[in-house]
Amino acid sequence: MPETALATLRRINRVIALLIGVLLFACVAFVLADIVLRQLGSSLGGTDEISGYVMAVATSWGMAYTLTELGHIRIDILRSRCAPLGRVLFDLFSLTVLAITISLIAIQSWPVVARSLANGSTANTNLETPLALVQMPWFLGWAWFAIASWITLFAAAMLVRQGKFSETEAAIGAFGEAEEHA
Amino acid sequence: MIAYLSLGLLGLLTLSIPVGIVLFLLGFGVDQFFSPFPLIKGLGNLVWSSSNHATLIAIPFFVLLGEILVRSGIATRTYAALDRWVSWLPGGLVHANIATATMFSATSGSSVATAATVATVAMPQAERLGYDPKLFSGAIAAGGTLGIMIPPSINLIVYGFLTQTSIPRLFLAGLVPGIGLALAFVVITVILCMLRPGLGGERRTFPFPEMLRALLQLIPIILLFTVIIGTIYKGWATPTEAAAVGVAGAVVIAALFGGVSLQMFHDSILGTIKITSMIMLVVIGASFLNFTLASAGIGRELQAFLEGLGLTPFSTILVIVLIYIVLGFFIETLSLMVVTIPIIVPLVVEMGYDPIWFGILMIVLIEMALITPPVGLNLYVVQGARQSGTLTEVMLGTIPYIIAMLAMAAALIAVPGLALWLPEALQ
Amino acid sequence: EDLSVVGSWSGLPLHKQYEAPFWTETLPEASGGEINVALTTHDQMNLGVGDVYRLLGDGVYDVGMTVADYAVADAPELEGLDVPLLALTADEAKAMVDAARPMVTDIYHDRFNSHVLAIAPYPPQVVFCNAEISGLADLEGKKVRASGRMTAKFLEALGAEGVNVSFSEVPGALQKGVVDCAVTGAGSGYSAGWWEVSTHLLPIPLGGWDSVVTAVNLDKWNALSDEMKTLIQDQITENFETPAWETAQTALEDDIACLTGNGECAAGDARSMTLVEASDADFERAREVLVTEVLPEWKERAGDEWIARWNDSVGQTVGVTIE
Ligand code: NA
Ligand code: NA
């Protein structure tokens, strides 16, 4: 059961990561189009602004993928010297702290969106982008990161209770499995 | 407060909490203990404004560029070609790491992206050919830092932004010290490997025709460099936009000289997201910590400290260098720059130093911070790309290159012309 | 009384000459040691420029100051404080600000839960071009970098092409022709070396005067004693706002002298940019564009009520009525 949850979470996050990648490529295309148009004496305008929004959204949604791939760097000077049980306890502790912190970030991010909604805020630019339109996906990304970290934590805790230490380490350990080289 | 931060950082890091989260926790602590104001209410805004930043999008773009070069096989062939030319030196393949890092630095504005690219292609070689893992991976971590000295450079863009100095001039100023630093890395590797031949592994020579043929393999990367730098200096794109040009260029070049497939895009994207989010969690956490520190008055303390010393301009520069070395151990580099530049640079300029020159000196120190533990992004990136071994090995391996960086910092202080000659000559 | 104060750009003269001395020396002394100030700036805190007043309203710090124009994302009605080219001299700008002050006070009260203490000027936002121009009309068809919504819309209405480039990338962009012209404060342009990469200077406030609003969190303000309120208000008007305005006109003239070499430059070496005079025809055209296009668009954003207030106050002062 915890294995299924973790595997599903990984699959979802992988899809999300691929979608962000598509967003990044779209942003590349947009910037290129603007450069070309400028040579022709025209401009799409707002590449700077849109790149910023893409970065904010890509960052928040990519976080959970990096979590499931064990990509968020940790220093394991003490941890690596421990027995499997000790390592797993380090991992559970670290993940608990992460889940709490990220939840706090997600909760504190909501007022930013709420304020933009309440004020009907629009960017101080030619595009007049409604800020809530870009802040909402950004906020949801952090919320998803928080949710994903709690799911991972509970699944890992269940694995520990079942005594599956190596499976736990594969799910929440310090380093991801070696990258596959094609 | 400094004591609290150092102890807290060390304590939390040894608990193996993710580095980015540790920075947030320290920020919460500063908020609780050193500031009477509810800084936590600023958390959401800080997270938004520190990621909604057009300059930062250069990070995923440069990482993506590197990933495409790796997955299309171009990076590997570049590496092999440079190997043909430099592996006769004592140290062998270690020089190929430095040379490849130097070459990719000219197409990438990010040290982490450069280190990630080189590490991915080089690491399998080390294990195959039996190199000392310390020096081998240390050379990649250190070589990768050239990414922010040799133009283009995200950090120089940030420096130019914060100090209102010209970015193209900063880019020109970084060129000579960047190449100088690469040569210093080579020299120190040669010296080390002559003293302790065991470090370097096998020296290899190749027949001259093969060396010439290898040059052909460098065409794609030179082409890419020309496209990126060309669009900046032709005035088609700003330095940040050039990162996007680089991604498009990498796709085209991969299609011409390597292999493009859906699988390649798939893998490149996943690799990019993983590294970018890893960096951004640290960047955002650092940005929040910076916010709490500024509110608690660290800027005033630092300024009062420097002014209170009553030193000559020259001694002040030495103290500043020392401060950067120490802070560089603990603080992530982009935020280190953001925290300190508004305080330090006006002081330095007031004493009569050139802001362009100081920017380059600062970049050397920032490069050092990237490879000094416990907070050194390049160490983690290289370790992340290895199949085995410990982080400590990478840290030990960078020590000789840290010495080379110190030498470069001293050289810049003694001979400011190293940085200033080129931009002035081209005026 | 402890006050935490977040100042405007730490590198610019307004902060160094007026803000910092006022908050760290003048005010604490005038209070006989009753007020303690902890001062930092929004750039040192790495705050987004649009966040300064949001966080002020939340009570993250007590006093905040930044360019009002940065906050128009949350308050489009605030754009009326700083309309391009309506005030050509510091005196005119001051009159405009004074007329707008009651409006601005209400906006800060409602939008940012804060009370306005002072409105001081940055040097006006003038035009640097790396192309030959002989007046405002020549901006038509040029690629121009400007920040701020109303300035950008104004340039568009003049027929210029708005290009988004961050401040630090402007010199490179000017040099290489990514943009032909860029708008910033004359002093910032001088210290950032824009004269190296541009040839012509059009010293009219195309980007307005970039008024810097100093405001205090409303809850904090209401909790202060009446004597304390009076002390702070009197001190800031007398020792911060008034002197900042008094030097604004000469600062602009000095900066122009530094950039063009026409006159003494105290800040450093004088440069030799070509000074471009805007003609009366230019101003007439600008005013027409403002009245027929830019300001009516602003009306859509801000709403009729604010426009009516603006017409009765600022509009009367500068002789403009938005239909
Ligand atoms: Na570079
Ligand atoms: Na470090």
Side-chain angles (χ1 to χ4, degrees):
Chain A
M1 159 64 185
E3 284 99 335
T4 335
L6 288 170
T8 314
L9 194 61
R10 275 188 89 155
R11 258 204 312 281
I12 295 174
N13 276 324
R14 191 166 290 214
V15 172
I16 292 172
L18 288 171
L19 289 175
I20 302 171
V22 173
L23 182 68
L24 284 178
F25 272 108
C27 189
V28 167
F30 184 67
V31 172
L32 283 184
D34 195 51
I35 293 172
V36 172
L37 279 177
R38 268 202 315 254
Q39 291 309 307
L40 305 174
S42 161
S43 171
L44 292 170
T47 50
D48 217 41
E49 184 184 348
I50 287 170
S51 302
Y53 300 146
V54 168
M55 188 59 197
V57 172
T59 298
S60 71
W61 280 97
M63 290 288 171
Y65 171 74
T66 305
L67 178 75
T68 41
E69 297 297 316
L70 308 184
H72 289 301
I73 32 167
R74 299 163 58 193
I75 292 180
D76 67 340
I77 298 173
L78 273 184
R79 178 191 171 279
S80 58
R81 283 157 213 254
C82 293
L85 175 64
R87 288 209 294 274
V88 161
L89 289 178
F90 265 110
D91 294 341
L92 281 179
F93 173 72
S94 150
L95 187 55
T96 311
V97 173
L98 179 134
I100 294 170
T101 308
I102 299 303
S103 304
L104 196 59
I105 293 175
I107 291 166
Q108 291 290 342
S109 295
W110 172 249
V112 178
V113 191
R115 173 91 57 117
S116 297
L117 281 171
N119 279 336
S121 307
T122 54
N124 179 17
T125 59
N126 241 345
L127 290 182
E128 295 180 52
T129 314
L131 287 181
L133 192 75
V134 282
Q135 284 171 340
M136 185 64 94
W138 160 81
F139 159 74
L140 290 174
W142 284 101
W144 170 244
F145 185 20
I147 293 166
S149 52
W150 286 110
I151 295 175
T152 313
L153 179 61
F154 285 121
M158 283 169 78
L159 285 175
V160 173
R161 273 192 51 177
Q162 295 167 8
K164 298 178 179 167
F165 292 163
S166 63
E167 286 85 344
T168 316
E169 206 174 341
I172 61 169
F175 297 105
E177 60 200 85
E179 281 188 50
E180 329 86 272
H181 292 278
Chain B
M1 190 153 66
I2 302 287
Y4 156 80
L5 285 173
S6 319
L7 282 177
L9 190 62
L10 282 177
L12 292 171
L13 286 175
T14 44
L15 286 173
S16 86
I17 299 168
V19 178
I21 300 295
V22 168
L23 297 173
F24 278 111
L25 294 179
L26 286 175
F28 298 150
V30 173
D31 179 16
Q32 274 297 313
F33 304 126
F34 298 98
S35 160
F37 306 101
L39 298 178
I40 186 92
K41 285 186 186 165
L43 180 60
N45 285 84
L46 251 294
V47 173
W48 166 251
S49 54
S50 59
S51 54
N52 167 29
H53 225 292
T55 309
L56 286 177
I57 205 161
I59 294 176
F61 283 174
F62 282 127
V63 174
L64 187 54
L65 182 161
E67 289 279 333
I68 292 171
L69 294 179
V70 170
R71 316 272 172 193
S72 63
I74 288 176
T76 316
R77 276 186 272 140
T78 308
Y79 184 73
L82 288 169
D83 172 38
R84 301 280 183 278
W85 280 83
V86 296
S87 280
W88 59 273
L89 286 162
L93 207 52
V94 175
H95 296 289
N97 294 350
I98 298 168
T100 312
T102 312
M103 196 120 199
F104 282 128
S105 290
T107 64
S108 175
S110 149
S111 282
V112 182
T114 307
T117 310
V118 180
T120 324
V121 290
M123 273 311 167
Q125 308 296 324
E127 277 142 40
R128 197 165 57 81
L129 297 170
Y131 272 77
D132 175 66
K134 292 196 278 296
L135 193 65
F136 193 88
S137 49
I140 300 173
T145 67
L146 294 172
I148 58 170
M149 178 66 93
I150 295 173
S153 159
I154 295 175
N155 295 55
L156 280 177
I157 295 177
V158 169
Y159 181 88
F161 173 66
L162 290 174
T163 61
Q164 309 192 352
T165 38
S166 149
I167 293 175
R169 294 193 70 186
L170 282 167
F171 278 10
L172 283 175
L175 199 55
V176 173
I179 294 169
L181 204 48
L183 290 176
F185 290 170
V186 169
V187 169
I188 207 153
T189 309
V190 168
I191 294 173
L192 265 179
C193 292
M194 280 166 63
L195 294 175
R196 305 241 331 252
L199 288 176
E202 189 189 355
R203 291 169 65 177
R204 289 174 301 157
T205 48
F206 297 88
F208 194 63
E210 194 182 331
M211 288 171 72
L212 279 184
R213 264 202 310 279
L215 283 185
L216 289 177
Q217 302 291 348
L218 296 182
I219 290 176
I221 212 77
I222 291 172
L223 218 56
L224 188 59
F225 169 73
T226 316
V227 167
I228 294 174
I229 295 297
T231 46
I232 296 177
Y233 280 86
K234 270 280 175 193
W236 295 339
T238 63
T240 315
E241 289 171 340
V245 174
V247 173
V251 172
V252 172
I253 280 166
L256 290 177
F257 298 93
V260 231
S261 61
L262 265 184
Q263 186 67 36
M264 181 208 88
F265 282 110
H266 177 267
D267 295 349
S268 303
I269 287 174
L270 290 183
T272 303
I273 303 298
K274 184 175 160 186
I275 294 176
T276 304
S277 305
M278 180 263 270
I279 298 171
M280 284 306 292
L281 189 63
V282 177
V283 168
I284 297 171
S287 164
F288 177 68
L289 175 58
N290 173 22
F291 163 71
T292 61
L293 287 175
S295 320
I298 193 121
R300 284 189 306 283
E301 277 183 27
L302 193 59
Q303 197 161 10
F305 169 73
L306 279 175
E307 283 168 355
L309 289 175
L311 296 171
T312 61
F314 179 73
S315 317
T316 310
I317 287 285
L318 293 186
V319 171
I320 288 173
V321 168
L322 202 65
I323 290 176
Y324 273 104
I325 294 174
V326 173
L327 292 179
F329 281 101
F330 302 106
I331 306 182
E332 187 279 322
T333 52
L334 268 182
S335 47
L336 176 58
M337 293 181 68
V338 172
V339 184
T340 55
I341 284 173
I343 302 159
I344 302 270
V345 176
L347 273 174
V348 171
V349 174
E350 214 165 283
M351 294 186 308
Y353 288 101
D354 188 304
I356 302 245
W357 165 81
F358 185 71
I360 302 304
L361 178 63
M362 178 186 283
I363 293 293
V364 176
L365 301 168
I366 293 291
E367 287 188 75
M368 205 182 302
L370 280 164
I371 51 173
T372 51
V375 180
L377 276 183
N378 272 27
L379 298 172
Y380 304 131
V381 168
V382 171
Q383 177 60 25
R386 296 176 71 194
Q387 316 273 2
S388 58
T390 65
L391 190 61
T392 322
E393 289 176 346
V394 189
M395 292 177 190
L396 290 175
T398 58
I399 290 173
Y401 304 107
I402 291 175
I403 295 170
M405 288 173 181
L406 285 172
M408 175 52 77
L412 274 168
I413 292 172
V415 192
L418 278 176
L420 296 177
W421 171 76
L422 191 61
E424 269 159 27
L426 292 183
Q427 263 308 291
Chain C
E1 200 64 53
D2 288 322
L3 290 179
S4 70
V5 179
V6 172
S8 58
W9 294 102
S10 61
L12 294 183
L14 182 68
H15 178 76
K16 290 197 276 200
Q17 286 175 13
Y18 300 108
E19 265 173 30
F22 174 77
W23 289 103
T24 56
E25 290 161 30
T26 315
L27 185 62
E29 271 167 33
S31 73
E34 265 193 67
I35 294 178
N36 289 311
V37 169
L39 175 72
T40 179
T41 63
H42 72 81
D43 52 321
Q44 284 172 358
M45 296 173 94
N46 198 18
L47 290 181
V49 289
D51 291 342
V52 175
Y53 298 125
R54 279 189 170 202
L55 297 187
L56 174 66
D58 290 341
V60 172
Y61 33 81
D62 302 319
V63 178
M65 53 200 86
T66 195
V67 180
D69 201 38
Y70 295 160
V72 303
D74 290 323
E77 62 277 11
L78 197 54
E79 286 176 59
L81 175 60
D82 194 27
V83 179
L85 287 185
L86 287 188
L88 299 179
T89 63
D91 285 342
E92 289 169 19
K94 177 81 162 72
M96 205 172 146
V97 161
D98 284 337
R101 201 180 298 256
M103 228 178 110
V104 176
T105 302
D106 287 351
I107 296 170
Y108 274 72
H109 198 286
D110 297 345
R111 296 279 197 181
F112 303 114
N113 184 40
S114 54
H115 172 76
V116 174
L117 290 173
I119 308 179
Y122 266 150
Q125 302 280 301
V126 300
V127 192
F128 293 73
C129 287
N130 194 21
E132 199 157 320
I133 54 164
S134 55
L136 198 58
D138 288 346
L139 291 182
E140 190 170 340
K142 296 272 190 302
K143 289 172 282 183
V144 185
R145 180 267 184 192
S147 61
R149 186 155 60 200
M150 196 177 274
T151 306
K153 298 244 175 218
F154 175 60
L155 281 165
E156 217 169 59
L158 283 177
E161 190 77 53
V163 176
N164 250 276
V165 176
S166 67
F167 183 83
S168 60
E169 295 195 319
V170 170
L174 274 172
Q175 186 169 29
K176 301 302 173 187
V178 175
V179 296
D180 301 309
C181 302
V183 180
T184 198
S188 311
Y190 175 75
S191 55
W194 286 22
W195 42 269
E196 276 182 74
V197 290
S198 51
T199 53
H200 289 65
L201 181 71
L202 182 61
I204 55 171
L206 197 91
W209 283 74
D210 259 8
S211 311
V212 173
V213 173
T214 305
V216 51
N217 176 282
L218 198 58
D219 305 321
K220 179 79 183 181
W221 182 248
N222 289 336
L224 291 176
S225 69
D226 285 345
E227 298 89 72
M228 195 64 94
K229 285 183 190 168
T230 316
L231 173 80
I232 295 176
Q233 186 61 65
D234 289 352
Q235 286 292 324
I236 198 168
T237 306
E238 186 183 333
N239 294 317
F240 168 71
E241 194 181 73
T242 310
W245 278 104
E246 273 167 4
T247 51
Q249 187 65 35
T250 46
L252 172 63
E253 282 154 16
D254 288 351
D255 290 337
I256 292 172
C258 286
L259 286 163
T260 60
N262 306 343
E264 285 287 303
C265 173
D269 294 336
R271 308 297 169 184
S272 54
M273 292 183 68
T274 307
L275 186 69
V276 180
E277 301 279 356
S279 65
D280 288 343
D282 280 342
F283 287 121
E284 263 167 47
R285 163 123 170 86
R287 210 162 250 250
E288 192 203 308
V289 164
L290 277 172
V291 173
T292 57
E293 286 185 53
V294 179
L295 290 173
E297 263 184 37
W298 173 51
K299 185 179 180 180
E300 306 274 304
R301 294 196 288 276
D304 294 346
E305 235 170 274
W306 286 111
I307 299 302
R309 265 190 89 172
W310 189 89
N311 279 338
D312 291 342
S313 53
V314 182
Q316 291 228 327
T317 312
V318 296
V320 168
T321 305
I322 304 169
E323 299 297 334

